[in-house]
Amino acid sequence: MSVCSLPEDAEDLLLHVCCGPCAIWPLESLTASRPNLRLLLWFYNPNVQPLGEFQRRRDSLAYLVAKLGGYNASLGVDFSPPYDPQTFLALAAQTPIAPERCFNCYSLRLKAAARAAKEKGVKYFSTTLLFSRQQNQELIIKAGREAELPGVTFYEEDFRLGWKKGRAAAKDLGLYAQKYCGCVYGAVETG
Ligand code: SF4
């Protein structure tokens, strides 16, 4: 099912991860099509409120990585990016209405991901946001392309093609499933 279009000689990729459930299928797809690819899972989500919700999503990724131990020797995970909701809230206050707010939310995270990739010498970056049917894929891709830096390229794949398998695997693993997108605005809109 994978439609991986990463160049054959791609050696590494920084994958921005929003939560554990959304990471399962992208990991499956990327490692199946490029078994030697070095993957760094990178967790930066200042858009998530409140702190307890952020912690649950972070813990779901940590649990998933622990479960996958040995699955891919080239798999790393980085939880060091700070939780700085003030950065997101200041941005959202300027454009509180979707979809502009969501575009800026994607952009904030993907620009940070591109900078992290650059610092680490990683040539490609992508995001598990591309797995979710609830997200605006067109805007995610636009934000990803705009975030590119010299020598750091955004990789886009329609991870939604693995939606059913990814969701079923997350359920089997008992991963925490969030009820809203992440921010307080989204929580209100979800009702
Ligand atoms: S609804 Fe989701 S994508 Fe949109 S701003 Fe809030 S957290 Fe970000």
Side-chain angles (χ1 to χ4, degrees):
M1 189 182 278
S2 171
V3 290
C4 185
S5 57
L6 258 182
E8 289 289 344
D9 60 354
E11 295 178 348
D12 45 24
L13 183 144
L14 182 146
L15 183 65
H16 163 261
V17 177
C18 56
C19 62
C22 287
I24 294 177
W25 178 257
L27 280 173
E28 176 72 28
S29 180
L30 288 165
T31 54
S33 50
R34 297 287 187 278
N36 296 321
L37 184 70
R38 286 192 300 275
L39 273 171
L40 176 62
L41 310 185
W42 192 78
F43 190 81
Y44 175 59
N45 298 290
N47 54 308
V48 179
Q49 299 122 42
L51 175 62
E53 179 71 17
F54 172 85
Q55 290 169 328
R56 278 189 285 276
R57 297 185 191 196
R58 182 195 60 197
D59 292 349
S60 78
L61 175 60
Y63 181 76
L64 175 66
V65 170
K67 281 282 179 189
L68 295 178
Y71 172 82
N72 178 350
S74 302
L75 185 67
V77 62
D78 186 350
F79 288 112
S80 69
Y83 177 55
D84 55 345
Q86 299 88 343
T87 304
F88 167 78
L89 290 168
L91 193 62
Q94 294 169 26
T95 52
I97 309 299
E100 290 82 4
R101 183 191 72 236
C102 298
F103 174 76
N104 288 338
C105 175
Y106 302 145
S107 210
L108 172 67
R109 291 182 277 172
L110 293 180
K111 282 180 179 171
R115 285 196 300 273
K118 184 86 175 171
E119 285 167 16
K120 296 171 188 299
V122 176
K123 291 181 180 165
Y124 292 91
F125 70 106
S126 189
T127 176
T128 58
L129 291 167
L130 292 169
F131 171 78
S132 175
R133 287 182 174 175
Q134 275 87 44
Q135 302 294 338
N136 186 321
Q137 191 158 79
E138 194 179 322
L139 290 185
I140 295 168
I141 291 170
K142 183 172 185 278
R145 287 181 182 156
E146 288 183 8
E148 289 182 348
L149 294 169
V152 180
T153 303
F154 182 65
Y155 170 65
E156 62 186 72
E157 177 176 328
D158 189 358
F159 293 130
R160 295 176 304 186
L161 295 175
W163 175 258
K164 283 186 181 170
K165 287 185 179 177
R167 296 293 293 176
K171 195 173 176 189
D172 287 348
L173 285 168
L175 294 186
Y176 169 68
Q178 57 261 26
K179 307 285 186 295
Y180 60 101
C181 185
C183 70
V184 65
Y185 299 87
V188 171
E189 287 161 3
T190 302

